[in-house]
Amino acid sequence: GAAYAPYDDDDDDFNPSYHYTRPQPSARRPGYGAPPPVERGAGGGGGALFGGQRQVGMGLIGVGVVLTALGMSLFFDRTLLRLGNISLVSGAVLTVGPNNVARFFLRKDRVRATSCVLLGVLLVFWGRPFFGMILEIFGLFNLFGNMFPLLLSVLRNTPIVGDLFKPSAPPPARRRARYARDDDGAYDAYGGGG
């Protein structure tokens, strides 16, 4: 019989069945090869959203802020405030995900503030925009009040806008008057007594 050789004598082609190759690292064994792919979206990846949904959410939040500000400046226009509330709520859900929104708003320490915001939204939809916006603003200040110092420090470090938010210099200390009254009411040139 013929001996096993990596080359066939007849046509000089490489015969891979006789050639030993190292096994390729498997992604199933820990520490070898690339990690398995992570699914994004519903089910896998911890509820992470696609980049497009997050961008749409940020756009909706921007539209909601503009519509709400416009509605308040136009003497609490009901339609603009309703559209602003819808845009803000749907934008928040699209930006951070429904689970994170529910987890944030439904914590025990935030129940009163959340109820103020929800009651304010309902009042806006029921045709009482002035009282609804007061309740919404009160609830939002209670929800996000601890973030204002952080926001202020970020704004102070912003290149263009930062100068507007930097604390002003303290007023200069008052100098003692050069001419001061004595105890008897007369003026003394050196500010000293008697």
Side-chain angles (χ1 to χ4, degrees):
Y4 291 100
Y7 292 100
D8 191 8
D9 294 330
D10 294 338
D11 52 357
D12 291 331
D13 290 335
F14 179 73
N15 190 349
S17 63
Y18 300 116
H19 184 71
Y20 174 77
T21 58
R22 284 183 64 190
Q24 296 296 319
S26 172
R28 293 180 190 156
R29 294 190 306 187
Y32 293 102
V38 177
E39 294 182 26
R40 296 197 175 252
L49 295 173
F50 292 110
Q53 285 180 334
R54 184 166 284 160
Q55 289 176 351
V56 170
M58 292 300 289
L60 281 173
I61 288 175
V63 167
V65 167
V66 168
L67 287 174
T68 303
L70 191 61
M72 289 178 70
S73 67
L74 292 174
F75 302 108
F76 295 96
D77 183 44
R78 294 176 188 164
T79 306
L80 289 175
L81 291 175
R82 288 173 183 161
L83 289 173
N85 281 336
I86 291 171
S87 297
L88 284 170
V89 169
S90 59
V93 170
L94 283 176
T95 301
V96 296
N99 292 336
N100 290 334
V101 170
R103 192 177 309 128
F104 178 79
F105 282 104
L106 298 179
R107 282 183 38 187
K108 283 186 178 181
D109 58 336
R110 296 181 180 146
V111 170
R112 284 185 285 176
T114 301
S115 60
C116 283
V117 171
L118 289 178
L119 186 61
V121 169
L122 289 176
L123 282 174
V124 167
F125 280 107
W126 285 334
R128 301 284 183 193
F130 182 75
F131 297 114
M133 288 309 296
I134 288 175
L135 268 176
E136 281 185 46
I137 291 170
F138 178 73
L140 289 174
F141 273 129
N142 283 327
L143 281 173
F144 300 107
N146 58 351
M147 293 184 193
F148 289 127
L150 176 67
L151 179 65
L152 187 62
S153 67
V154 168
L155 287 175
R156 284 181 181 162
N157 293 327
T158 305
I160 297 171
V161 185
D163 294 334
L164 298 173
F165 292 100
K166 290 198 178 184
S168 60
R174 289 189 147 193
R175 292 187 303 163
R176 191 171 174 190
R178 187 169 183 191
Y179 295 99
R181 289 182 189 237
D182 283 343
D183 293 334
D184 59 353
Y187 286 98
D188 185 15
Y190 296 105

